[in-house]
Amino acid sequence: GENVEQHPSTLSVQEGDSAVIKCTYSDSASNYFPWYKQELGKGPQLIIDIRSNVGEKKDQRIAVTLNKTAKHFSLHITETQPEDSAVYFCAASQINTGTASKLTFGTGTRLQVTL
Amino acid sequence: DGGITQSPKYLFRKEGQNVTLSCEQNLNHDAMYWYRQDPGQGLRLIYYSQIVNDFQKGDIAEGYSVSREKKESFPLTVTSAQKNPTAFYLCASSPRQGRHPFFGQGTRLTVV
């Protein structure tokens, strides 16, 4: 089955700096890579996702890059703000029309943005 | 408002008792999922259902049971056979058209 590794487990940055979280996956058949943000005591919320036919995707201060050959993908947050502080999870899945989206998650990165 | 409702938010049970966690969605999603989250770990899939009256085991199904009698509902029973039931349980749903799952707010189960 799929195995997703995520690094670092904790990340502290100053407000305004950039943050980068990296993930690797093992199954070359995986074709969908979402990133979730989880605030304390709440369920994860999708912040950005990327499919295997795309190398990079950007949404305002957040971007994700994918290297299929190396089987790794990364989350980039620029101009970090205190409200970016949370736990971030990467995930991988084979997503096909008509089938359930079974995600395999990384172990999470706790991001702290300090003033 | 459309969404996924998990209840209760906090649940306490004595060891040896079965307990059922509720999950309801009004998003008209076909697929529903249960994940377990432990401190410092990612989310692990317990069970999932692609359609009413059908469900499959995930990676850590032992000690759990589910039912899917209605499209909107996917309750999870944590049985006394689950050796370490204390955890944060997350329910999710997704359309069958290959979209990402949407998560509920979770139920924190504590077994004493």
Side-chain angles (χ1 to χ4, degrees):
Chain A
E2 176 64 275
N3 181 53
V4 176
E5 295 189 356
Q6 183 173 348
H7 300 281
S9 57
T10 60
L11 179 60
S12 182
V13 299
Q14 286 196 325
E15 184 179 6
D17 288 349
S18 296
V20 180
I21 301 170
K22 298 182 178 182
C23 290
T24 60
Y25 62 99
S26 61
D27 190 348
S28 57
S30 290
N31 58 9
Y32 176 66
F33 307 92
W35 285 88
Y36 286 86
K37 176 183 181 182
Q38 185 178 30
E39 296 179 343
L40 191 63
K42 296 185 178 181
Q45 285 194 311
L46 182 83
I47 55 172
I48 196 167
D49 55 7
I50 192 168
R51 295 180 186 260
S52 58
N53 58 349
V54 175
E56 184 173 358
K57 184 177 179 180
K58 190 173 181 180
D59 183 4
Q60 299 181 359
R61 297 186 296 109
I62 294 173
V64 57
T65 58
L66 171 65
N67 183 327
K68 285 191 299 182
T69 303
K71 296 200 195 74
H72 66 70
F73 55 113
S74 300
L75 177 71
H76 304 254
I77 306 174
T78 59
E79 301 173 17
T80 53
Q81 301 168 2
E83 50 266 38
D84 294 329
S85 297
V87 179
Y88 292 81
F89 290 97
C90 63
S93 173
Q94 290 184 48
I95 195 166
N96 299 303
T97 300
T99 62
S101 305
K102 294 187 296 172
L103 299 176
T104 299
F105 284 85
T107 51
T109 296
R110 183 173 299 278
L111 173 64
Q112 184 172 3
V113 180
T114 57
L115 298 174
Chain B
D1 288 338
I4 302 170
T5 302
Q6 290 188 243
S7 60
K9 189 171 178 65
Y10 299 96
L11 191 55
F12 295 87
R13 279 296 182 268
K14 290 185 178 180
E15 192 173 342
Q17 291 181 334
N18 292 354
V19 59
T20 298
L21 282 60
S22 170
C23 179
E24 304 278 333
Q25 56 99 358
N26 61 5
L27 300 168
N28 199 33
H29 286 171
D30 290 292
M32 296 188 74
Y33 316 78
W34 275 104
Y35 285 88
R36 169 181 171 140
Q37 185 174 23
D38 294 285
Q41 297 191 35
L43 285 67
R44 293 181 290 168
L45 183 64
I46 305 172
Y47 267 99
Y48 67 100
S49 167
Q50 300 193 76
I51 200 167
V52 174
N53 292 323
D54 179 69
F55 49 82
Q56 286 82 40
K57 294 181 179 180
D59 299 320
I60 55 166
E62 185 176 351
Y64 300 97
S65 66
V66 294
S67 63
R68 186 86 187 276
E69 297 177 0
K70 297 187 300 181
K71 186 176 184 178
E72 304 80 21
S73 179
F74 191 41
L76 173 75
T77 297
V78 184
T79 75
S80 57
Q82 168 50 234
K83 295 180 181 178
N84 296 295
T86 295
F88 190 48
Y89 290 88
L90 287 157
C91 177
S93 69
S94 68
R96 292 188 72 194
Q97 294 81 10
R99 288 281 310 277
H100 64 86
F102 294 82
F103 283 86
Q105 294 300 292
T107 292
R108 186 167 298 281
L109 172 65
T110 302
V111 176
V112 296

